[in-house]
Amino acid sequence: MKIKTLMAAILMTLSLGVGISSISTPVSASSWHRGTPKVAHGNWYYYRHGKPRGRTQVTKNLWAFNSVSYSSHFHAYFNRYSLDFLQGLRYRYIGHHKYIISGISEGGQCTPPIGKRRNHVVQVGKSHMKQFGVKLTRHKPAHMVGTLKGSLNP
C-alpha cells in the first residue's frame, strides 16, 4: 500500500512540475525596429476637397512631408517644398495596424528644432494611411510631376 501511495505522490509531483514548466511568460513583440515598416513604404497623398494638398514619402530611412501645388501654366501638380523630414528612423508595432514612428527632425519649412527626436502614431493599411488624424491614400494625382522646373522652391 505504501508503494502505491508513494508512486501516486511521485506521479502527482511530476505532472505538476511538467504543467508549471509548460507555462511560459508572454513574449513582448513591442520592441523597437530600425527603419520604417515595409507596409508604409511608398508615396502617400493627402486630398482636401478632391484636390491633392500634400505628399508623404516613406522609404526605409526617410519619412518626408511635402506640400503639393497646382501650376495652371503647366496644368500639372508638383511637389512645392519640403515641410519636414525625419531620419534615423525606428518604429514599434502597437497593434491594430498602428505603429509609433520615431525619427530625428532634419529640416524643412515648418519643423521643430533640427536634431530633436519626434514620435508620431500612424495607422497603415494596404491603400490608406492615417497620420495626425489625416487620411492619406496611395492614389497618385493625374498630371503629377516631381518638381516645377525653374521654381525657387524645388
Side-chain angles (χ1 to χ4, degrees):
M1 210 51 181
K2 289 184 180 183
I3 294 177
K4 285 185 181 181
T5 55
L6 183 63
M7 290 295 274
I10 290 173
L11 212 80
M12 188 68 105
T13 56
L14 283 177
S15 65
L16 186 62
V18 169
I20 289 175
S21 67
S22 67
I23 298 173
S24 62
T25 58
V27 176
S28 176
S30 64
S31 62
W32 288 95
H33 305 281
R34 287 185 176 195
T36 57
K38 286 185 181 179
V39 70
H41 290 189
N43 292 315
W44 298 88
Y45 297 94
Y46 162 60
Y47 288 85
R48 185 169 180 191
H49 302 296
K51 296 179 181 177
R53 296 292 180 208
R55 179 183 79 133
T56 299
Q57 179 186 6
V58 181
T59 64
K60 182 178 179 182
N61 299 313
L62 176 72
W63 195 284
F65 312 100
N66 300 315
S67 71
V68 173
S69 296
Y70 182 76
S71 169
S72 58
H73 179 72
F74 293 107
H75 302 289
Y77 291 98
F78 63 96
N79 297 320
R80 182 96 176 136
Y81 49 83
S82 175
L83 295 174
D84 188 15
F85 62 94
L86 304 174
Q87 290 182 331
L89 295 166
R90 57 187 183 173
Y91 71 95
R92 182 177 179 172
Y93 182 72
I94 56 175
H96 301 287
H97 307 285
K98 289 184 181 178
Y99 297 88
I100 298 174
I101 307 293
S102 177
I104 298 172
S105 180
E106 293 292 341
Q109 295 289 330
C110 51
T111 141
I114 293 175
K116 296 287 184 180
R117 183 162 289 278
R118 291 189 14 202
N119 296 331
H120 64 274
V121 177
V122 296
Q123 185 173 9
V124 183
K126 288 183 181 179
S127 61
H128 291 89
M129 177 168 65
K130 202 179 222 184
Q131 70 178 11
F132 307 119
V134 175
K135 189 175 178 182
L136 302 156
T137 180
R138 289 191 188 267
H139 176 68
K140 185 177 179 178
H143 309 294
M144 180 75 180
V145 295
T147 57
L148 183 63
K149 292 186 179 182
S151 173
L152 295 176
N153 297 321

